[in-house]
């Protein structure tokens, strides 16, 4: 079973930036897709950004132009660069890795709080 370990969350003021990291316990190319989702109190889980093994990326409309997903295969790491953060971006952010047979692995989550 793969392990996904997120880090990089914290408290930031509106307009600020954070970079989240997700380290996988095996090669990220072994997965069909990887991505970041978030869960805010009282809201449904939202897929924020993802990419497939073939390199196709997708972003939620709410973060387009502000968030960027990237990867470093040598470090088995996926990043989420978050710029121009807004209070509505406050949530627990989760990394996920989809196996080729469809099963989704999840990390433990990292809290992002955007507040002045």
């Amino acid at each position: 079973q793969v392990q996904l370990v997120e880090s990089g969350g914290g408290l930031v003021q509106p307009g600020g930036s954070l970079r989240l990291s997700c380290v996988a316990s095996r090669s990220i190319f072994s997965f069909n897709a990887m991505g970041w989702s978030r869960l805010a109190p009282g809201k449904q889980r939202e897929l924020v950004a993802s990419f497939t093994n073939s390199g196709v990326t997708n972003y939620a409309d709410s973060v387009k132009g502000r968030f960027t997903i990237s990867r470093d295969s040598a470090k088995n790491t996926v990043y989420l660069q978050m710029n121009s953060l807004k209070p509505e971006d406050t949530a627990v952010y989760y990394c996920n890795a989809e196996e080729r047979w469809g099963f989704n692995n999840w990390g433990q989550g990292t809290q992002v709080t955007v507040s002045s």
Side-chain angles (χ1 to χ4, degrees):
Q1 184 176 357
V2 67
Q3 288 188 327
L4 302 172
V5 180
E6 300 107 329
S7 62
L11 173 64
V12 63
Q13 292 186 341
S17 298
L18 283 175
R19 189 177 78 158
L20 306 182
S21 300
C22 171
V23 181
S25 58
R26 68 174 201 255
S27 171
I28 61 175
F29 288 122
S30 67
F31 303 112
N32 185 48
M34 294 189 72
W36 290 92
S37 298
R38 65 187 180 187
L39 184 61
K43 296 185 178 180
Q44 292 187 331
R45 187 188 297 265
E46 177 185 27
L47 179 61
V48 173
S50 65
F51 66 84
T52 66
N53 199 16
S54 60
V56 177
T57 58
N58 285 290
Y59 294 94
D61 288 342
S62 57
V63 307
K64 281 181 180 176
R66 301 188 298 122
F67 290 11
T68 303
I69 189 170
S70 62
R71 57 188 172 180
D72 184 336
S73 57
K75 296 181 179 180
N76 292 339
T77 301
V78 176
Y79 302 99
L80 185 67
Q81 178 66 45
M82 306 185 294
N83 299 327
S84 302
L85 283 162
K86 306 175 181 180
E88 50 263 44
D89 294 319
T90 295
V92 178
Y93 284 71
Y94 296 90
C95 174
N96 80 282
E98 182 186 283
E99 301 283 6
R100 296 186 186 278
W101 56 90
F103 179 80
N104 250 318
N105 302 285
W106 294 93
Q108 82 287 353
T110 185
Q111 176 71 45
V112 172
T113 302
V114 184
S115 175
S116 54

